[in-house]
Amino acid sequence: MVGRVPLRVVALLVVPLLAGCSVGDVRRRPPDRSAPSSAPSAPAPSPTAAAVEVREVRVAVGRRYDPPFVDFVTADRGYALFAACDHRPPGRDCPAQLYSTVDGGRSWRHLRHPHPVADNHQLYTAGNLLLVLAGDGDWYTSTNGGGTFAHTRGEQAPASWRAAQGRFQIDESDGRVVRWAGQRAEPLPAQPPLPGLNTVGEAGGLLVAAGVQDGRPRAAISLDGGRTWSDTPVPGSATDLHVLFVRSSPDGEAWLVGDRPDRGGFPSVWRFQGEWVPVRADGHPEEITSVAPIGGGLLAVNGPAGCGVVAEGRYHALGWPPGRDHYLMVLPDGTLAARGPADVLLATGRYADRRWVRVLLEAADK
């Protein structure tokens, strides 16, 4: 089977802007957080249909292969793993196949898979790190685009992978915030003053830790890399939250997204503007699959009703191409990505002004 499954590693719910990488640099002089930000929000977009460039490529792996799992790191660089044949794990007659692209899916290069025959294959990316899991506990990491791999074995993913998830993480074993330096993690001497802590992430010069206590959101911020913390109220009427996530937009704004137990309804959302400000979304659809801050105070939304954005307190439906099953995320270079069951959509640009590309990679007869 192919896809993202929970890794048995230090748990991390971080800023998905980078698909697992840290965001911003706390060494920069932090912005003034004593008053709400005066940065203007982007204007509400018009609901016009978006043109889509289609990049469809067939690679000679044989038609027995099921559709690949495709993951992009930036608008140009991505990886693909063919890891099932006729809905079964690959065997010697149908080994796993690994590919990479550096031109946004216009062309794909075959990579040598380090362990092509195994019952379970997974592919993960974080920054310049490529991780392949083969079987039960065989991990292969590459820092040169899949040219070579280092092998480790064990229940946990290798330290290099865990370190690539972000400088600040939550240790699943004790719930404390740790800071990674190289391939070692040390607990911060000052821990966020929060019960129910479940997420931590960076947004520009701000470090945010958050969690849920008795269904209510709680958050703390640090302006000095976690040496000191300030408990920050999260206002609003949400009393039935299940989990809270820190999100970051490409322009470095911090957001909180609070999901309820069903995980399918429209979430509670806050944006940090010197304090946590509830984000209104009048007219929003009741059911969604994913949200992603895309800069300029805009929140991209996708679900059964289609794609749209929240801007200036209202939900605006858009003619963007992702289908109901596509999951939105923002990549390290600010690209908006939408991963679906059979394709990946990439949208470059700024705010809601995006140029869309559909990437299709398919098996062809050898």
Side-chain angles (χ1 to χ4, degrees):
M1 115 177 242
V2 183
R4 289 200 184 273
V5 296
L7 290 174
R8 291 166 291 184
V9 298
V10 176
L12 172 66
L13 295 171
V14 296
V15 185
L17 166 70
L18 299 178
C21 292
S22 62
V23 180
D25 186 348
V26 297
R27 293 172 297 180
R28 293 182 296 172
R29 184 175 179 178
D32 181 8
R33 305 291 182 177
S34 61
S37 170
S38 59
S41 296
S46 58
T48 56
V52 183
E53 175 190 349
V54 178
R55 297 173 184 167
E56 184 174 2
V57 176
R58 294 180 181 273
V59 292
V61 298
R63 292 190 180 276
R64 287 184 58 200
Y65 283 86
D66 295 344
F69 176 78
V70 179
D71 197 18
F72 273 83
V73 181
T74 67
D76 294 322
R77 184 158 58 96
Y79 299 93
L81 177 66
F82 290 87
C85 293
D86 302 324
H87 307 293
R88 297 194 304 271
R92 296 192 180 279
D93 61 334
C94 190
Q97 304 283 344
L98 190 61
Y99 283 81
S100 69
T101 180
V102 293
D103 57 11
R106 295 179 181 89
S107 64
W108 292 84
R109 180 172 68 94
H110 185 261
L111 302 175
R112 185 189 67 82
H113 194 295
H115 190 162
V117 178
D119 289 337
N120 177 41
H121 287 269
Q122 306 291 333
L123 180 150
Y124 304 91
T125 62
N128 71 336
L129 193 68
L130 170 65
L131 177 68
V132 174
L133 170 64
D136 184 17
D138 282 303
W139 305 93
Y140 297 87
T141 55
S142 175
T143 57
N144 59 5
T148 58
F149 287 88
H151 175 234
T152 56
R153 180 165 178 79
E155 289 191 0
Q156 281 194 335
S160 58
W161 166 258
R162 286 176 281 156
Q165 302 307 297
R167 289 189 300 164
F168 299 96
Q169 304 179 23
I170 297 176
D171 190 331
E172 188 181 42
S173 65
D174 57 18
R176 291 187 296 176
V177 177
V178 297
R179 176 172 181 162
W180 281 84
Q183 296 189 25
R184 293 190 59 186
E186 296 290 343
L188 295 179
Q191 291 292 313
L194 297 177
L197 182 67
N198 71 261
T199 180
V200 61
E202 293 180 85
L206 196 67
L207 180 60
V208 181
V212 176
Q213 181 185 27
D214 298 327
R216 294 182 179 274
R218 296 284 303 274
I221 64 169
S222 174
L223 294 172
D224 54 14
R227 289 186 289 274
T228 59
W229 294 88
S230 298
D231 196 345
T232 51
V234 183
S237 59
T239 58
D240 59 346
L241 297 184
H242 173 67
V243 66
L244 202 61
F245 300 95
V246 177
R247 298 288 190 253
S248 176
S249 65
D251 51 5
E253 284 194 319
W255 295 64
L256 293 176
V257 177
D259 279 342
R260 292 172 174 80
D262 62 8
R263 302 297 294 273
F266 200 87
S268 296
V269 182
W270 296 264
R271 179 182 169 199
F272 194 78
Q273 297 178 276
E275 60 187 0
W276 293 110
V277 178
V279 175
R280 288 176 41 228
D282 296 346
H284 68 75
E286 290 303 317
E287 186 179 352
I288 65 159
T289 57
S290 55
V291 300
I294 57 174
L298 302 181
L299 184 73
V301 177
N302 192 45
C307 251
V309 298
V310 174
E312 300 173 346
R314 292 198 59 83
Y315 172 82
H316 304 264
L318 296 178
W320 283 358
R324 61 176 295 168
D325 295 326
H326 284 81
Y327 186 87
L328 299 177
M329 65 192 73
V330 182
L331 303 182
D333 60 352
T335 299
L336 178 62
R339 184 188 295 119
D343 64 357
V344 172
L345 287 149
L346 304 172
T348 57
R350 191 181 186 208
Y351 305 146
D353 184 13
R354 300 274 170 169
R355 175 177 171 270
W356 286 90
V357 171
R358 185 187 303 274
V359 178
L360 291 165
L361 182 63
E362 299 174 326
D365 288 332
K366 291 184 179 180

